[in-house]
Amino acid sequence: MWFTNLLTSGGVGTTVLMLSISIFAGLLLGRLKLKGVTLGITWVLFVGILLSAFGITCNHDMLHIIKEFGLILFVTAVGLQVGPGFFRTFKKGGLALNLVALANVALGVVITVIIAKLADESLFDMAGVYTGAVTNTPGLSAAQQAVRDLGMTDAADRLANGYAVAYPLAVVGMILTCIILRPLCRIDLKNEPDTEGSVPATVEKKATPTSQRHKVNLIPIFVIIAVGIIIGSIPIPVGMSAPVKLGLAGGPLVAALIGSWLGVKKGWFTTDFTDSHGVWMLREVGIALFLAGVGLGAGGSFVSTIQAGGYMWILYGFIITVVPPIILGLFCRLVLKTNYYTLMGVIGGMHTDPPTLAFANTVAPDGCKLPNTGYATVYPLTMFLRIFTAQLLVLMA
């Protein structure tokens, strides 16, 4: 039957079809709410996993390219939106938030090592679980390259399985962390300021001004992406078996932050461009492609690994996911008095987790940039640390 052949051919048409189904079905499911709470665009990931688990065959090379390009579009758009105010925000509290992010990474590594010792798990396997639990694909790639350099090719596949098993629940865990912190910190969204130092705003959604909807210039966007790819490809020697890199996500984000800040400061373009509806659309398309690509690529490994006894990795990954941000989230809110919208972005940034940022933006009022700012403030350092610590766990095994 021609339709069956289409679903199992693994060609370009099949891949685009599955991406489209994952995205539109996931977005439709994202409209569902349970007691006012929704997982939003995260449903795109779960639909992709479900399709992949049912044996849908996609072109993996094409899927990989689309997934990475989607992530590049997403982080570039985030950098463009928050760049003009990023360095000012860093001076006002960014140093403290980055120290919190550093503590979050360190705590995650310590918990990973403790679980490996207590559960008698291989640290190679736990390195994969760690990268999935903190939703860091570049960290997984770095760990896989490290084991290949050690001549352990089979371990690279187990790293990927650990990542695939831990990743889905990690996405949910990050969102649950944001939700759990509300009652723990007695947060009332109706009285939470939507800008630093502002009067609290209601959570009603406001329409995007018509004058901003079509102001987007693709030239600086792709210049920033090109520069970001170059930055992300620069090897950084750290005295290990292989250098670390900012990668395809960290490089474009850094380039976008600097480019948008410098562009607005020099008058090359205005905030109507960096905060336009076009850039917002770029961000949403990017994260949708990324989540669909991850889901369609992870479904098969997810099921087979669980059947082989890797279900305990789900629990281990969930512990690594939620314990550090809950502890440090309480510290940020109760000690540092961090704004809740900013804190949600910080939690997403500390785990380099785009779906958490997407969730935070659905909770925050329209026009509120605090989740994006919190995310971008800690994301660059966190990305570097995740790449470094993933390799460190492999070398410690």
Side-chain angles (χ1 to χ4, degrees):
M1 184 177 179
W2 67 269
F3 189 68
T4 303
N5 292 334
L6 174 63
L7 296 180
T8 59
S9 66
V12 173
T14 302
T15 303
V16 174
L17 175 63
M18 292 302 105
L19 285 166
S20 300
I21 292 175
S22 298
I23 292 172
F24 83 71
L27 292 177
L28 285 175
L29 289 171
R31 296 180 180 181
L32 301 177
K33 292 185 178 181
L34 179 62
K35 295 184 178 180
V37 176
T38 175
L39 296 181
I41 201 171
T42 309
W43 276 108
V44 173
L45 172 70
F46 299 136
V47 173
I49 289 176
L50 183 63
L51 290 173
S52 180
F54 273 108
I56 300 297
T57 304
C58 295
N59 185 306
H60 290 288
D61 291 336
M62 181 180 176
L63 204 61
H64 178 73
I65 293 172
I66 291 176
K67 179 185 68 176
E68 296 298 336
F69 188 60
L71 183 58
I72 289 169
L73 291 179
F74 175 79
V75 298
T76 300
V78 169
L80 284 170
Q81 289 176 325
V82 306
F86 169 73
F87 294 98
R88 181 179 67 254
T89 303
F90 192 88
K91 292 178 181 178
K92 290 183 177 180
L95 178 59
L97 291 179
N98 272 283
L99 290 175
V100 170
L102 174 62
N104 183 75
V105 173
L107 187 56
V109 172
V110 170
I111 292 174
T112 301
V113 174
I114 291 175
I115 290 175
K117 296 294 184 181
L118 295 179
D120 195 26
E121 291 279 357
S122 165
L123 204 51
F124 284 116
D125 292 337
M126 288 305 301
V129 173
Y130 167 80
T131 59
V134 299
T135 65
N136 193 272
T137 305
L140 170 65
S141 299
Q144 288 179 317
Q145 186 58 54
V147 296
R148 291 190 185 102
D149 291 342
L150 295 173
M152 304 177 65
T153 305
D154 292 341
D157 294 334
R158 291 189 64 82
L159 284 169
N161 289 338
Y163 171 89
V165 168
Y167 189 103
L169 197 57
V171 174
V172 178
M174 285 290 91
I175 294 174
L176 287 176
T177 298
C178 294
I179 296 172
I180 289 170
L181 285 173
R182 289 186 206 171
L184 289 180
C185 299
R186 298 181 180 180
I187 294 169
D188 183 359
L189 294 182
K190 294 181 179 179
N191 296 316
E192 191 73 11
D194 66 344
T195 59
E196 292 293 352
S198 72
V199 177
T202 64
V203 294
E204 294 181 0
K205 302 299 181 182
K206 297 170 282 187
T208 303
T210 304
S211 61
Q212 293 186 12
R213 291 181 180 175
H214 303 292
K215 292 184 178 180
V216 60
N217 184 350
L218 292 178
I219 293 177
I221 290 175
F222 281 94
V223 169
I224 286 172
I225 289 176
V227 173
I229 296 299
I230 295 173
I231 293 175
S233 300
I234 298 174
I236 305 172
V238 290
M240 301 174 68
S241 59
V244 299
K245 301 175 183 177
L246 287 177
L248 295 177
L253 178 65
V254 170
L257 287 170
I258 296 175
S260 59
W261 167 74
L262 191 61
V264 170
K265 183 177 181 180
K266 297 292 185 180
W268 299 335
F269 40 75
T270 67
T271 52
D272 283 347
F273 161 67
T274 60
D275 197 31
S276 68
H277 185 73
V279 171
W280 175 86
M281 188 71 173
L282 198 70
R283 187 188 75 189
E284 296 303 302
V285 170
I287 186 59
L289 290 173
F290 171 73
L291 290 175
V294 170
L296 289 169
S301 296
F302 181 81
V303 174
S304 62
T305 302
I306 291 178
Q307 291 174 339
Y311 51 85
M312 287 301 297
W313 292 356
I314 299 177
L315 174 61
Y316 302 152
F318 189 73
I319 293 172
I320 297 168
T321 297
V322 301
V323 172
I326 286 179
I327 294 174
L328 293 165
L330 288 170
F331 174 81
C332 284
R333 181 66 180 186
L334 301 178
V335 178
L336 299 182
K337 308 299 181 184
T338 305
N339 180 283
Y340 178 63
Y341 300 129
T342 302
L343 180 58
M344 285 193 293
V346 169
I347 289 172
M350 289 194 305
H351 282 239
T352 61
D353 184 43
T356 303
L357 177 58
F359 171 78
N361 280 316
T362 65
V363 175
D366 276 354
C368 177
K369 302 178 184 178
L370 296 181
N372 286 348
T373 302
Y375 186 91
T377 298
V378 300
Y379 187 102
L381 176 63
T382 300
M383 177 63 72
F384 175 82
L385 292 174
R386 295 300 186 192
I387 292 171
F388 176 82
T389 52
Q391 295 177 78
L392 182 63
L393 285 170
V394 168
L395 294 176
M396 289 170 56

